[in-house]
Each structure stands twice: as structure tokens, then as C-alpha cells.
Amino acid sequence: MAIIGKGAFGEVRVCRHKTTGEIFAIKKMKKEEMHKKNQVLHVRAERDVLSEANNKWIVDLIYSFQDDIYLYLVMEYLPGGDLMSLLMKKDILSEDEARFYAAELILAIESVHKLNCIHRDIKPDNVLIDINGHIKLSDFGLSKKIVDIIYSGWNNS
């Protein structure tokens, strides 16, 4: 179980299911740290967005569960890593690569907005890459669900 990411009160590990052999990314967060840093609502927001989102632009949440000490989010594993690692490895993206990732990022953000949600932490570390080179957004800990959206329109008088 290799660590593939670290956060303020937890870590993400890549794990293999003992029975099926499937590979998952498991985010393990310490409850005590969440309470100390007053982040319970942020973690709940992340779980809620991931469980409600059923689209190709957001990392899939497979399970969530807890024990006395930790909260666990079992998510799909994306073997392409994240956009930050790709940028560090390549140093410079070609114009076609930049155009491709920019276009996919716009579509991904649009899909979040269609869920009446704002991600609020878009950065290369939170843009994951799947086995086919396409992106998915992750880390919805700072996201905000917009419950009451009021469209007032422009006053054209």
C-alpha cells in the first residue's frame, strides 16, 4: 500500500482488493484531526459531492466507511498521476497538449457547476489523469454546494 498523496489530516494510498484484485485509491483521514481543525463539514462536503457525482469528469467514489479513529474514502485509482507531476516531468507542454488539458478542464469544471457545486481548489495537484490520458477532478474538501441559486438577470431598462 504505497502512499500516493498526503493532506492536512490524512493520506491517500493505492491498494489492491484481496478478493478481486482491483486497484483503488483509499483516502484515510484521522477524525480527531478533522475535529481539531474544524474541518468536519469540508470532509462531509467532499463525500457528498463524490457520492452524488456520476460523471466522467469527477473521480468515482466506490465506498465510504469509518472506524473509531479514521474516515475512509475508497475511490477509483487513476494510474496517470496528476497534472502537477506531468508538468514537472515534461517541463513544457506542447501547444496541442495544453489545448487538450485546458479544454478537458473547462468541461470538468462545467460538470461540477451543473451539480450546483463550486470546487474552490482547482490546481494541477487536484487534476488526475486516467489510463487513457483524460482528466478527472479530485479533492472536493473545499467545495461548496449551492442550494439556492437565484438568477436575477440584467436590468435592461
Side-chain angles (χ1 to χ4, degrees):
M1 295 196 330
I3 295 176
I4 56 174
K6 285 193 175 222
F9 38 82
E11 61 191 22
V12 180
R13 291 180 179 260
V14 61
C15 301
R16 183 180 306 274
H17 192 283
K18 286 181 181 180
T19 309
T20 67
E22 287 180 276
I23 298 174
F24 297 101
I26 300 180
K27 189 172 192 175
K28 177 180 168 184
M29 297 170 282
K30 200 165 193 168
K31 291 181 187 180
E32 185 179 326
E33 291 299 314
M34 286 186 273
H35 286 286
K36 264 190 219 174
K37 295 177 181 175
N38 202 24
Q39 297 294 305
V40 174
L41 292 177
H42 291 286
V43 173
R44 189 170 288 141
E46 178 173 25
R47 190 211 53 217
D48 290 348
V49 168
L50 292 177
S51 66
E52 292 170 16
N54 186 17
N55 74 51
K56 68 180 188 175
W57 301 109
I58 297 172
V59 67
D60 291 335
L61 176 68
I62 312 299
Y63 310 103
S64 65
F65 61 95
Q66 60 184 317
D67 59 24
D68 291 339
I69 301 169
Y70 295 101
L71 172 66
Y72 302 89
L73 299 178
V74 180
M75 299 170 282
E76 71 176 309
Y77 171 65
L78 299 174
D82 60 47
L83 191 56
M84 179 58 99
S85 298
L86 178 69
L87 290 169
M88 290 188 318
K89 177 182 167 188
K90 294 194 106 186
D91 195 33
I92 297 174
L93 296 179
S94 71
E95 189 174 332
D96 285 342
E97 290 170 318
R99 192 178 295 125
F100 173 78
Y101 288 118
E104 288 213 340
L105 189 55
I106 289 167
L107 292 170
I109 293 169
E110 177 188 41
S111 79
V112 173
H113 291 176
K114 284 181 177 179
L115 296 171
N116 292 329
C117 185
I118 302 169
H119 189 286
R120 301 194 322 170
D121 196 20
I122 298 291
K123 59 186 180 186
D125 310 71
N126 293 337
V127 178
L128 303 182
I129 302 171
D130 73 11
I131 196 164
N132 297 312
H134 296 283
I135 69 162
K136 288 194 176 203
L137 296 177
S138 69
D139 197 349
F140 284 78
L142 295 178
S143 68
K144 194 78 168 166
K145 192 83 167 155
I146 307 302
V147 180
D148 299 316
I149 298 178
I150 300 172
Y151 296 99
S152 59
W154 293 99
N155 185 351
N156 295 324
S157 40

